[in-house]
Amino acid sequence: MQFVWYILFFIAAFCTQASVKPITETPLIVGKTLSIFSKYIKETPNFDVYLPSDYHTTSEKRTYPLVVTLDGWLVSEATNGVLSHLGDTASMPQAIIVSIHSHDRFAWGPKLHASYSGWTGDVEGFSQGRSQDMINYLQKELFPFLKSQYRINDFRIFIGASPTAAFGLHTLNAAPKLFNAHFLFAATDVLGLGYTPDTTMIDAIAKSFEKTPDRAGFLYVASAKREAERNPVRYTLAKQLREALAPYSKTFKLKVEHIDDYGHYPMIVPGLLNAIGFVFPRKDWDIGIKFIEFTNNGYQTLTDILAHYQMLSKQVGFEVYPNLNLNNNAACIRAIAQRLRGQGRHGEADELFNYWISHSPSSASAVAGLAVSKELQGEAKEALTLYRKALTLSEPANTRRKEWLTGKIETLTKK
């Protein structure tokens, strides 16, 4: 009987907790869904747009690379999560991500044969031959629309898995300027499919490179190791692709691998990290350590930071900018400016605060940071002007900052 009472008490307690309502409730918004009619794919596809966290606070001079997926839940959510985290920790450039909702992931590959892939049977259902429709949609409709609406630069990354990897490989041959980098997962067997029964996609890609031998770009192809062990021809295909593109390695970078401990779809996550590290190498993108080195080099911190980012820009082929204001992270202009200010190196600190303001003119934090620096240097009049400007820029909800700025203004006004 006592046991029954314990059970009833537990149920009553659980029901009471379950009926509690949250004090506040707001929607969690990470992007938006848009659509434009396409005369090429004969429908109005939805596409999700994910913007970098600092997009609405940075100036018009800052542009972002574009990342495109066709795989919805399979790739887009992981892509947005991983790329947003790495962008917000200065481990890669921040990017705009667009995920196209495809009614049929298998539709967009070219018509292919099993060829030397190790597959048996018909592959018609895997690759249904509408690749040119999708290329036209991207080239002539989606990309121009995105360019008109968002600050997108000309560097584009395509991410595909299995059937959409076939589309990605096809673009290397049919539309070589469509993307600058390809991250293709669950795809080493796809290399062995061919436009004819006795050729592979490797053969077609190699012929394309013969026509444009100085082509620049990045190609990452990976699959699960357990699948390669069941179908060893994947190892042969990986080797053939390396050999086919080796003559062009000065300008075009290739990495092919088989990932251990993860299956067909789960390997996408470690593969994505490896692909990002391939295009944005850790030795150059461990920005936190670099920034500390720059502050210890002498009295040209901003010059050294900008020189490093010029090197990164040359490396990837588009303009890369220092992060301005990251949470709890030393790899940004704010943190280094505050560090220099704390060391009494006000000239360098002011350069960094002014750079921050020029790239984020609506940032109350940037203006307030410069105001503190001016106050510490005894420039009360200029500090007062800056505090007042920061107050006008502060968000209404940020009462703590508004109170602090108001106190600063009152103190300096009385002097």
Side-chain angles (χ1 to χ4, degrees):
M1 186 67 181
Q2 188 177 20
F3 176 74
V4 173
W5 279 110
Y6 281 138
I7 294 297
L8 293 174
F9 176 80
F10 175 79
I11 293 172
F14 176 79
C15 292
T16 300
Q17 290 297 318
S19 66
V20 173
K21 293 183 179 181
I23 296 173
T24 61
E25 182 177 320
T26 56
L28 182 62
I29 301 173
V30 295
K32 63 171 65 175
T33 300
L34 304 171
S35 60
I36 55 173
F37 173 74
S38 171
K39 67 179 182 181
Y40 294 101
I41 58 178
K42 305 290 191 298
E43 59 181 81
T44 306
N46 291 335
F47 52 91
D48 299 330
V49 179
Y50 304 92
L51 298 178
S53 59
D54 71 351
Y55 183 85
H56 294 293
T57 61
T58 54
S59 69
E60 294 296 316
K61 67 181 74 174
R62 289 206 168 206
T63 60
Y64 301 85
L66 176 67
V67 179
V68 178
T69 82
L70 302 180
D71 289 280
W73 68 270
L74 177 61
V75 170
S76 64
E77 292 180 9
T79 297
N80 178 53
V82 171
L83 268 63
S84 294
H85 174 73
L86 294 178
D88 286 344
T89 54
S91 296
M92 67 168 288
Q94 292 182 311
I96 293 174
I97 301 165
V98 171
S99 174
I100 301 165
H101 291 261
S102 174
H103 70 280
D104 185 354
R105 297 172 59 230
F106 299 91
W108 311 119
K111 289 186 176 180
L112 296 171
H113 299 267
S115 298
Y116 300 97
S117 63
W119 289 24
T120 57
D122 189 7
V123 300
E124 182 178 349
F126 174 83
S127 191
Q128 297 172 18
R130 296 191 58 195
S131 53
Q132 192 57 47
D133 293 341
M134 179 56 70
I135 290 172
N136 287 337
Y137 168 65
L138 295 174
Q139 278 183 332
K140 300 177 182 181
E141 295 174 329
L142 183 62
F143 290 169
F145 170 80
L146 293 172
K147 203 75 179 281
S148 71
Q149 300 295 314
Y150 301 103
R151 303 196 310 272
I152 293 172
N153 61 37
D154 292 328
F155 192 91
R156 295 188 289 266
I157 299 174
F158 176 78
I159 300 180
S162 201
T164 55
F167 171 80
L169 287 170
H170 176 69
T171 64
L172 285 165
N173 171 42
K177 295 183 179 180
L178 193 60
F179 297 102
N180 305 83
H182 297 72
F183 300 167
L184 307 180
F185 307 121
T188 54
D189 58 336
V190 180
L191 294 170
L193 301 177
Y195 297 106
T196 65
D198 57 350
T199 63
T200 66
M201 298 199 80
I202 298 172
D203 298 327
I205 292 169
K207 288 183 180 179
S208 175
F209 271 82
E210 289 174 5
K211 299 175 184 176
T212 55
D214 58 347
R215 184 192 309 182
F218 302 87
L219 172 59
Y220 175 88
V221 185
S223 285
K225 186 176 180 180
R226 67 184 64 168
E227 293 181 325
E229 290 173 346
R230 290 197 299 267
N231 183 16
V233 72
R234 291 172 181 249
Y235 292 119
T236 303
L237 293 168
K239 181 181 178 182
Q240 289 175 349
L241 181 62
R242 294 188 193 101
E243 291 173 348
L245 298 188
Y248 316 105
S249 60
K250 186 175 180 179
T251 56
F252 192 90
K253 308 303 179 184
L254 169 69
K255 183 173 182 178
V256 192
E257 65 179 346
H258 291 95
I259 294 175
D260 206 359
D261 297 328
Y262 291 88
H264 185 74
Y265 286 142
M267 60 74 51
I268 290 173
V269 174
L272 182 57
L273 288 171
N274 291 349
I276 292 167
F278 171 55
V279 178
F280 309 109
R282 301 307 315 138
K283 67 181 180 64
D284 299 319
W285 283 90
D286 196 351
I287 302 296
I289 292 177
K290 297 287 184 186
F291 272 28
I292 299 302
E293 291 175 0
F294 297 150
T295 62
N296 295 331
N297 281 347
Y299 294 91
Q300 53 177 25
T301 304
L302 180 60
T303 299
D304 288 345
I305 290 173
L306 296 181
H308 183 72
Y309 274 86
Q310 285 178 355
M311 181 274 292
L312 294 177
S313 299
K314 184 176 180 181
Q315 183 184 88
V316 295
F318 63 91
E319 191 73 22
V320 183
Y321 305 92
N323 291 83
L324 298 174
N325 186 16
L326 301 175
N327 291 326
N328 303 313
N329 197 304
C332 64
I333 295 296
R334 171 197 55 76
I336 300 304
Q338 291 175 344
R339 179 185 177 90
L340 293 170
R341 188 181 64 196
Q343 295 175 355
R345 295 161 65 176
H346 295 295
E348 290 178 274
D350 289 357
E351 280 188 319
L352 287 159
F353 282 121
N354 279 311
Y355 178 86
W356 182 5
I357 293 169
S358 71
H359 283 256
S360 186
S362 62
S363 172
S365 296
V367 176
L370 182 60
V372 172
S373 184
K374 294 301 181 183
E375 184 181 3
L376 290 171
Q377 295 173 72
E379 300 178 30
K381 184 176 180 180
E382 187 170 355
L384 182 59
T385 299
L386 289 166
Y387 281 130
R388 285 171 173 161
K389 181 179 179 181
L391 184 60
T392 65
L393 295 172
S394 292
E395 298 176 0
N398 197 334
T399 55
R400 180 176 296 182
R401 177 187 290 155
K402 294 184 75 172
E403 290 172 358
W404 177 78
L405 288 169
T406 301
K408 284 289 188 180
I409 292 167
E410 290 175 353
T411 301
L412 288 177
T413 302
K414 293 176 182 177
K415 288 185 176 181

